[in-house]
Amino acid sequence: MHTLTRTIRFSVNPGRGAETGSAPANGFAGIPSMRGLGRYYELHVTCRGEPRSPSGYLLNIKEIDTTVHAGVIPLIAQACRDNPESNPVELLPGIVEEIRRRLGGVFERVRWNLTPYYSLEMTADTSHVLLRQSFDFSAAHRLHVPSLTDEQNRALFGKCNNPSGHGHNYRVEPCVAVRTGAQPAFGLDQLEALVHERIIRPYDHTHLNEDTAEFGGPSGVNPSVENIARVFFERLAEPIRAGSGGSASLRTLTVWETDRTSATFPA
Ligand code: NI
């Protein structure tokens, strides 16, 4: 089995409805292209199936493009025009229905990036949407295990065992499953408030080993990126459940220590 993912970039421009672009078209930067003070979005459509013979195509990507341009962008453009305060979560079931109507059973999921850092994802099961938003914080840490000797720590962790620690600009991305249609709806504003309270405020501009109980002291764990992802997941999961009245649950949490190293818990 294969999956095929197509990214469609587009702008919703003020006063222009869902126009289909202007020549010369630039699919790389987006069709329609930005005009005036427009909105810029990305849709990632993933299909699942077997490549057909003789084309070798699971699906012709032009069918995905046509589906999005004819069926999905008009829905988003209309909502931007008629009700710019609307919750984008409530648009997703209609978007999925439109894609499935046009592409059929090969459709697997669609991810709508409303910003480079904020996205909503839905599968054919429209009972839930996956909400992701990135955050950042800065902290120092030292990789060190007290039960090992200093020599063993230096051998295991190298420069990361430097006694004074070293710093990272961490990026954190919770992925929250939100039940569609639930009232009150759990959205980005609630997630941002909880992440600020449970993660950013207690850990930003700290030395994790020195300033926090989770990564220092007698019961603290070594602040590896794996342990940070697990500790943060555990700090955030219950407040999201309680704060949403049970309509949202934290699915995973990913922490980037650098742009080349990340850990996700649970996997
Ligand atoms: Ni480090």
Side-chain angles (χ1 to χ4, degrees), residues 115 117-119 131-135 172-174 188 191-192:
T115 79
Y117 313 103
Y118 165 42
S119 71
L131 161 65
R132 295 180 178 90
Q133 167 85 312
S134 288
F135 302 82
V172 180
E173 186 186 72
L188 194 52
L191 178 63
E192 287 180 339

Side-chain angles (χ1 to χ4, degrees), residues 100-152:
R100 278 170 56 83
R101 189 176 70 76
R102 291 168 181 265
L103 295 185
V106 296
F107 167 77
E108 183 177 77
R109 65 180 182 271
V110 58
R111 183 166 173 172
W112 179 10
N113 280 79
L114 289 101
T115 79
Y117 313 103
Y118 165 42
S119 71
L120 301 171
E121 180 177 317
M122 187 173 271
T123 65
D125 172 8
T126 59
S127 66
H128 288 81
V129 62
L130 296 180
L131 161 65
R132 295 180 178 90
Q133 167 85 312
S134 288
F135 302 82
D136 78 338
F137 72 100
S138 301
H141 75 163
R142 181 195 188 198
L143 298 182
H144 183 83
V145 177
S147 60
L148 301 178
T149 65
D150 287 351
E151 191 175 324
Q152 287 170 323

Side-chain angles (χ1 to χ4, degrees), residues 141 143 160 166-168 170 257:
H141 75 163
L143 298 182
C160 298
H166 63 276
H168 290 285
Y170 290 96
E257 188 175 68

Side-chain angles (χ1 to χ4, degrees), residues 133-206:
Q133 167 85 312
S134 288
F135 302 82
D136 78 338
F137 72 100
S138 301
H141 75 163
R142 181 195 188 198
L143 298 182
H144 183 83
V145 177
S147 60
L148 301 178
T149 65
D150 287 351
E151 191 175 324
Q152 287 170 323
N153 271 294
R154 278 193 295 273
L156 185 55
F157 298 120
K159 284 195 297 187
C160 298
N161 184 242
N162 172 30
S164 302
H166 63 276
H168 290 285
N169 292 320
Y170 290 96
R171 178 179 158 204
V172 180
E173 186 186 72
C175 174
V176 183
V178 181
R179 200 166 70 225
T180 47
Q183 291 298 334
F186 184 88
L188 194 52
D189 45 355
Q190 288 88 355
L191 178 63
E192 287 180 339
L194 288 173
V195 170
H196 183 75
E197 176 191 329
R198 301 293 296 168
I199 295 175
I200 305 302
R201 198 167 60 195
Y203 299 101
D204 188 28
H205 285 69
T206 65

